[in-house]
Amino acid sequence: MRTARYISIFAAATVLLSSCLKEAYPSSGVIGSQIEGDASSIESQVNSIPASLFLFGDSYASCGYPGIMLLRDAMTADEPVYSNTYDYYGYYVGVTQYLGDYDLPNDLWRLYVKLNAKCNNVVQMCNPDELTPALAGYLGNALTFRAFSYLDMLRFWEYRTTGVSSLDARAESTGIMGLTVPIVTEKTTLAQARENPRAEFWKMYRFVLTDLNNAVKYLDGYSRSSHIYADQNVAYGLLARLWLEIGTRFDRNIEDMREALSHEDDSDVSYDKLGVKDAAGAFAKAAEFAALAQNGHAPLTQEEWMNKKTGFNTPTSSWLWCMSIGTDDAAIHSWKSWIPEISPEVNYGVVLPLGAFRMIDAALYSTIPDSDWRKKTWISPSDAGKSARASLYETNLDDATWATVPAYTGFKFRPAQGDMDTYTTGTAVSIPLMRTEEMALIEAEALAHSAGLGAGINALETFVRSYRDSEYKCSAGSMEQFTDEVFRQKRIELWGEGLIMWDYKRLAKGIKRGYTSPVASNHIASHQVNSPDGVVARWLNVYITSNEYQYNRALKQNPDPSYNSQYEY
């Protein structure tokens, strides 16, 4: 059943898309020529870039980029919800329906298109040959945010083999394998945008790499006023993410590696060359940039993590980058916002009042030893429902309320100032986009592939023992086992931060929601959908809605991954 909203969208498509295209694809110099040299105007445009991350969409689930983070975790097995009635993300990817031409996929595409447009405007305004230090910082930010956006987009929309024969056959027959999304820059005209094919994976890698290489240059010496802006460490962090993606692809698909490297000297491609010869070289780059990104940052302490007033709502030395919501921002909302949809410690929203508690996967929780202090982030089954056990946890809830919260519920994200009752206060939080802990885990995985398994194990053990579990020992005896262990550590460390879906897709990890061992599944029955290891779960290949393909004649579409009774899973 398609939503009524889409009927009206289709009826008015020409007007809406024409307007959208004009914003997304600035023609040669119109905006820049109007305010060229006006640093205050450029600054205003730069300020609008992080603000665009809170663009609301049409779906119930939409609260901007924080909603996309919630969606990405819901797409995996890592964040089951106790009640589906008010879980607006599980409605789509939990039951894996309505993933085609519907509100939520459209919200995704629209947010990234708007973000890219903001970045392109700033890039167009800045003349690289006439940059003051302030303008260099502005340009570096625009390039970093654009790279961030396209790195997300290429991972969302590139079709990867699913093991569902009908979907994979269609992808092969329509020629979309290896294609990402169309590249739109400050130089793209409206006419070009209407005939803009999806970029090959290797070309998109080089486009993102070029933006980040330039961002590193322009952000050298730049001092930001807030964590909502990018600095050089953030650009390094995105380079680490990019090179980890490239290294994994080259390691697992030699034909893709040959394809990418065969285009290094193409005369019609102006982007920076990859400059590596094999997977080990790409992983070495990932390790290098992950180490650089950590400079000046330190992992969260137990006290910072568990703080009832500031835990995961206030930047610390761990945070490289974040979003922030002010008390008078449009993103303040009593339920359509980050805290009302993830925190069990507020008396508004969909979690505590309506039962949409966000939990950790029971099987994953069972792997966390008691010596790891992160385990207290979630309610143990042995403590759930017992008010006398509340004192064992750092919680803003009183004993009686705490006893009503189900097992495995996560208390990671606190309302601002610990305010449980005033949504205009409690919702005004910062939300992490990148932390140094992620970089440490990328570095460990990349070192194993580039400097040897022992180097990776040593890096992982040093991190976990020093900051999370003093008794930790990595027992991996092979690269596959070690990759699995880093993946497990990421699932624990980054729970709720909207990052682990990228690893599921990158590593072709099966999504397991229905199981009876080692413990009973805590996913609701309608969400207990499993996908096999070695292929990408079909719902991780996102559909491009008609708002784009009806007006870009060169676009090749992904198959609709929505549930079909003929599919193998």
Side-chain angles (χ1 to χ4, degrees), residues 74-78 90 92-97 99 164 361 504 509-515 521 523-532 537-539 561-564 567-569:
M75 295 171 86
T76 72
D78 288 25
Y92 296 90
V93 293
V95 298
T96 67
Q97 296 184 19
L99 296 173
V164 177
D361 175 68
Y504 271 97
K509 289 292 184 185
I511 292 176
K512 312 297 182 186
R513 297 178 185 159
Y515 52 83
S521 172
H523 294 261
I524 60 178
S526 62
H527 291 188
Q528 290 189 18
V529 183
N530 295 337
S531 70
R538 57 181 166 77
W539 56 91
S562 302
Y563 174 74
N564 184 306
Y567 291 168
E568 288 86 341
Y569 63 86

Side-chain angles (χ1 to χ4, degrees), residues 119 123 138-148 211-212 214-215 218:
C119 297
V123 175
Y138 299 154
L139 179 55
N141 262 271
L143 292 171
T144 302
F145 272 93
R146 187 168 73 178
F148 164 75
D211 269 4
L212 291 174
N214 285 327
Y218 295 131

Side-chain angles (χ1 to χ4, degrees), residues 24-71:
Y25 310 106
S27 58
S28 56
V30 174
I31 297 175
S33 65
Q34 292 173 344
I35 58 175
E36 184 177 359
D38 187 342
S40 62
S41 296
I42 298 175
E43 181 181 17
S44 176
Q45 290 291 317
V46 172
N47 291 341
S48 75
I49 293 175
S52 70
L53 293 176
F54 293 102
L55 173 73
F56 274 44
D58 294 321
S59 72
Y60 286 114
S62 176
C63 56
Y65 198 83
I68 294 177
M69 293 165 62
L70 287 163
L71 171 68

Side-chain angles (χ1 to χ4, degrees), residues 397-416:
L397 301 181
D398 58 43
D399 286 352
T401 306
W402 190 91
T404 68
V405 180
Y408 303 114
T409 295
F411 283 81
K412 184 173 179 179
F413 301 95
R414 314 289 184 155

Side-chain angles (χ1 to χ4, degrees), residues 460 472 474 480-490:
L460 181 63
Y472 175 76
C474 177
E480 181 179 3
Q481 290 174 348
F482 179 71
T483 302
D484 286 347
E485 175 57 13
V486 175
F487 178 61
R488 187 184 74 88
Q489 287 293 335
K490 278 188 170 182

Side-chain angles (χ1 to χ4, degrees), residues 251-299:
D251 184 58
R252 294 173 175 237
N253 193 322
I254 193 169
E255 291 304 318
D256 279 359
M257 181 180 74
R258 289 170 177 165
E259 171 72 10
L261 298 183
S262 71
H263 292 282
E264 286 284 82
D265 295 319
D266 285 5
S267 59
D268 60 340
V269 179
S270 59
Y271 308 132
D272 291 353
K273 297 180 181 181
L274 296 178
V276 297
K277 296 180 179 180
D278 51 25
F283 279 121
K285 292 281 191 181
E288 174 191 355
F289 289 117
L292 287 171
Q294 295 172 68
N295 287 339
H297 296 272

